């Protein structure tokens, strides 16, 4: 089979269900779905950190670690889960408490980052898919010119092929640009979580160690 005929059958620019545009549309839907899912997950993971620490400080200073753990279980969220891991090791050394919180932190951060990388992948491949459509459109346009000859060239058909070529590139960029913005937004939110995790964990470790030192003396 001639290569041009094969390309034409797979990527026909005047087809109602052009495969290139269908793929780009699929990328758009997937990107939007991932962003909404990550956005809602990050919203659920947020807590009032200041109030959370105030409540924990009172329970820890009173020596009521069980109540502190219950506060974490009631609050839930990323930071609460990490702090709970440290509270479970409250009677261990500082290094063991920090290790427990660090391991829990890695797990929680992995949950925050889940699927976010897909946004970056879509942002990179969508323009490439559009460019592929552009190249195929030009191939079809030149194929029309070669098959028709200079005398019988159809300006309409050549124009359709050129239009299709440019539309696919534009479609790829339309998907890629919001995907880049969405990915960077999610990453910035995650970085904010990481900073909050570090400061909160450090404060809880200091509270636990200070309490243990007071009990020793």
């Amino acid at each position: 089979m001639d290569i041009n005929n094969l390309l034409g059958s797979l990527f026909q620019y005047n087809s109602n269900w052009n495969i290139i545009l269908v793929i780009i549309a699929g990328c758009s839907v997937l990107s939007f779905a991932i962003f909404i899912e990550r956005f809602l997950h990050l919203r659920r993971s947020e807590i009032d950190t200041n109030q959370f620490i105030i409540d924990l400080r009172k329970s820890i200073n009173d020596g009521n670690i069980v109540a502190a753990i219950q506060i974490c279980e009631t609050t839930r969220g990323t930071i609460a889960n990490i702090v709970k891991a440290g509270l479970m090791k409250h009677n261990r050394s500082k290094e063991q408490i920090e290790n427990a919180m660090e391991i829990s932190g890695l797990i929680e951060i992995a949950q925050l980052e889940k699927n976010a990388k897909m946004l970056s992948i879509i942002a990179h491949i969508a323009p490439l898919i559009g460019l592929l459509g552009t190249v195929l459109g030009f191939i079809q346009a030149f194929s029309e010119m070669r098959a028709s000859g200079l005398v019988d060239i159809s300006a309409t058909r050549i124009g359709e092929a050129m239009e299709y070529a440019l539309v696919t590139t534009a479609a790829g960029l339309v998907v890629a640009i919001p995907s880049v913005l969405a990915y960077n937004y999610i990453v910035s939110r995650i970085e904010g979580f990481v900073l909050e995790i570090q400061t909160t964990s450090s404060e809880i470790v200091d509270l636990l160690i200070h309490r243990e030192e007071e009990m020793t003396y």
Side-chain angles (χ1 to χ4, degrees), residues 3 27 47 113 216:
I3 185 65
C27 290
I47 62 171
E113 294 176 340
T216 301

Side-chain angles (χ1 to χ4, degrees), residues 146-171:
R146 181 175 60 81
S148 301
L150 293 176
V151 178
D152 300 322
I153 290 177
S154 172
T156 301
R157 291 183 64 83
I158 298 300
E160 287 177 351
M162 295 295 185
E163 181 182 14
Y164 159 75
L166 296 176
V167 164
T168 56
T169 296

Side-chain angles (χ1 to χ4, degrees), residues 37-152:
E37 187 272 333
R38 286 294 87 192
F39 178 80
L40 294 176
H41 181 79
L42 290 171
R43 285 288 299 272
R44 289 193 298 268
S45 300
E46 287 181 341
I47 62 171
D48 185 347
T49 308
N50 292 331
Q51 186 60 49
F52 177 64
I53 293 176
I54 290 172
D55 295 339
L56 285 178
R57 182 182 290 115
K58 184 178 184 305
S59 297
I60 293 173
N61 289 337
D62 291 342
N64 195 345
I65 300 300
V66 173
I69 293 174
Q70 289 176 343
I71 291 172
C72 294
E73 292 175 344
T74 303
T75 304
R76 296 184 180 180
T78 299
I79 295 176
N81 292 337
I82 294 171
V83 171
K84 179 184 174 183
L87 292 174
M88 298 294 288
K89 304 285 187 180
H90 67 93
N91 56 348
R92 306 290 180 85
S93 66
K94 180 180 180 180
E95 289 74 19
Q96 289 176 308
I97 295 173
E98 289 176 340
N99 287 339
M101 297 178 80
E102 182 179 353
I103 293 171
S104 178
L106 292 174
I107 295 172
E108 293 295 328
I109 292 172
Q111 288 296 317
L112 293 177
E113 294 176 340
K114 182 181 178 182
N115 295 330
K117 195 68 177 176
M118 283 295 297
L119 289 173
S120 177
I121 294 173
I122 291 172
H124 282 86
I125 67 171
L128 296 178
I129 296 172
L131 182 60
L132 174 62
T134 298
V135 172
L136 293 173
F138 278 113
I139 289 174
Q140 291 183 17
F142 287 119
S143 177
E144 292 279 350
M145 294 171 63
R146 181 175 60 81
S148 301
L150 293 176
V151 178
D152 300 322

Side-chain angles (χ1 to χ4, degrees), residues 20-35 118-130 167-183:
I20 293 291
L21 294 178
V22 169
I23 292 173
I24 293 175
C27 290
S28 176
V29 172
L30 180 61
S31 176
F32 181 75
I34 291 173
F35 174 72
M118 283 295 297
L119 289 173
S120 177
I121 294 173
I122 291 172
H124 282 86
I125 67 171
L128 296 178
I129 296 172
V167 164
T168 56
T169 296
L173 292 174
V174 165
V175 174
I177 292 171
S179 296
V180 170
L181 295 175
Y183 174 72

Side-chain angles (χ1 to χ4, degrees), residues 154-211:
S154 172
T156 301
R157 291 183 64 83
I158 298 300
E160 287 177 351
M162 295 295 185
E163 181 182 14
Y164 159 75
L166 296 176
V167 164
T168 56
T169 296
L173 292 174
V174 165
V175 174
I177 292 171
S179 296
V180 170
L181 295 175
Y183 174 72
N184 283 286
Y185 172 79
I186 296 297
V187 168
S188 66
R189 290 284 300 274
I190 293 173
E191 288 175 349
F193 264 106
V194 171
L195 180 60
E196 201 170 4
I197 287 168
Q198 290 173 342
T199 54
T200 303
S201 299
S202 177
E203 189 164 351
I204 296 302
V205 170
D206 290 341
L207 285 172
L208 290 172
I209 297 303
H210 180 68
R211 170 185 166 275

